[in-house]
Amino acid sequence: MAVLSVSDAVRRRKSVRAFLPVPVDNAVIADVLARATRAPSGGNLQPWRLFVLNGDSMARFAVLMAGRLAENPMGEPPQYQVYPQNLKEPYRTRRFEIGEAMYAHLGISRADKFARLQWLQNNDRFFGAPAAAFCFMDRIMGPPQWSDLGMMLQTAMLLFAEQGIDTCPQESWSRWPKTVADFVGAPPDLMLFCGLAIGHADPDAPVNKLAAARASAEEVITFI
Ligand SMILES: Cc1cc2nc3c(=O)[nH]c(=O)nc-3n(C[C@H](O)[C@H](O)[C@H](O)COP(=O)(O)O)c2cc1C
């Protein structure tokens, strides 16, 4: 396989929300994540902590989650708020538009709350991905270190893209902080930020045809 340029990897990476049941080797995941830790961090704190599920651990976690979803479809109390309350413009519209575009690809109407809830629960199955990583942060850390974690995550996603492996970062796991921490054995000083689904995209799944729009460069970049 020809090595992708960084630009190609940036172009190729997108959030995939339907995966094929094709395994990904632990060795590949270990190699990518280890290289992703070359990401910069303020003070070189490297404030990230990752736990990987694959093969048997993913199968055991899936059984656990099926039980949890049956008991409590809405999830556990979150430990952080994903979006600010009363999102203002332009964020509110951007969030609304990506949601509507996704449900349009899925053929789910705005009124069909049940289908939307069912879809949300697909997040809780990593969209069928065979492997995943959970990303934790020490609770003492603040916004600068959360930003560091984001850089590491994007580096990992680009390196996965280079390997022809697809991903979806998932803040939806903020609905299951206790279940996840207990399962992976995370110490109490760590806080779950997100999951990262890892696998091979199902090319026939309509949801994977979604191409998320971006604001124009003029809107977000100003040369002074
Ligand atoms: C930290 C983070 C968390 C995210 N959480 C979710 C999630 O829980 N579920 C989901 O379907 N997409 C999630 N996304 C994907 C975003 O919706 C997606 O990145 C955005 O719409 C841009 O699309 P693209 O990634 O395909 O370019 C998340 C993205 C990031 C960076």
Side-chain angles (χ1 to χ4, degrees):
M1 188 171 63
V3 175
L4 253 55
S5 69
V6 175
S7 296
D8 287 341
V10 169
R11 252 191 302 275
R12 187 188 191 285
R13 186 219 59 83
K14 58 181 261 181
S15 296
V16 160
R17 298 183 180 87
F19 289 86
L20 297 171
V22 174
V24 180
D25 274 357
N26 258 346
V28 174
I29 298 172
D31 174 56
V32 162
L33 294 181
R35 287 189 290 132
T37 65
R38 294 303 309 168
S41 58
N44 204 21
L45 292 193
Q46 306 163 67
W48 38 74
R49 187 74 176 80
L50 302 177
F51 295 85
V52 177
L53 304 188
N54 201 0
D56 174 58
S57 57
M58 179 58 105
R60 284 188 292 111
F61 185 69
V63 171
L64 175 70
M65 277 310 298
R68 292 287 150 94
L69 278 167
E71 286 161 15
N72 179 14
M74 297 315 287
E76 298 160 353
Q79 298 184 348
Y80 71 92
Q81 199 178 319
V82 172
Y83 303 109
Q85 261 172 351
N86 304 320
L87 262 188
K88 62 180 185 181
E89 292 300 340
Y91 315 111
R92 190 184 160 82
T93 297
R94 290 180 191 161
R95 185 180 176 205
F96 177 80
E97 285 179 351
I98 190 65
E100 291 307 294
M102 193 177 71
Y103 287 116
H105 277 77
L106 290 162
I108 296 174
S109 78
R110 168 146 269 281
D112 195 344
K113 299 276 185 267
F114 180 69
R116 287 189 175 216
L117 179 64
Q118 276 190 318
W119 171 256
L120 187 66
Q121 293 185 356
N122 258 334
N123 270 282
D124 306 330
R125 300 180 193 99
F126 291 111
F127 305 110
F134 283 118
C135 308
F136 283 78
M137 169 65 64
D138 197 303
R139 290 178 194 277
I140 65 166
M141 301 297 178
Q145 291 78 39
W146 284 62
S147 152
D148 296 338
L149 174 56
M151 289 185 225
M152 196 278 285
L153 259 173
Q154 168 71 341
T155 307
M157 291 190 282
L158 295 180
L159 290 169
F160 277 124
E162 186 190 51
Q163 297 295 310
I165 294 170
D166 301 294
T167 52
C168 187
Q170 295 180 271
E171 280 157 343
S172 60
W173 287 102
S174 63
R175 290 167 48 242
W176 298 101
K178 186 167 170 3
T179 294
V180 172
D182 288 350
F183 186 82
V184 303
D189 51 343
L190 292 186
M191 174 168 167
L192 177 65
F193 170 44
C194 69
L196 181 70
I198 301 167
H200 295 276
D202 178 350
D204 299 326
V207 71
N208 286 341
K209 308 255 186 316
L210 175 66
R214 294 294 192 274
S216 71
E218 291 70 32
E219 205 177 323
V220 296
I221 304 164
T222 305
F223 283 81
I224 307 298

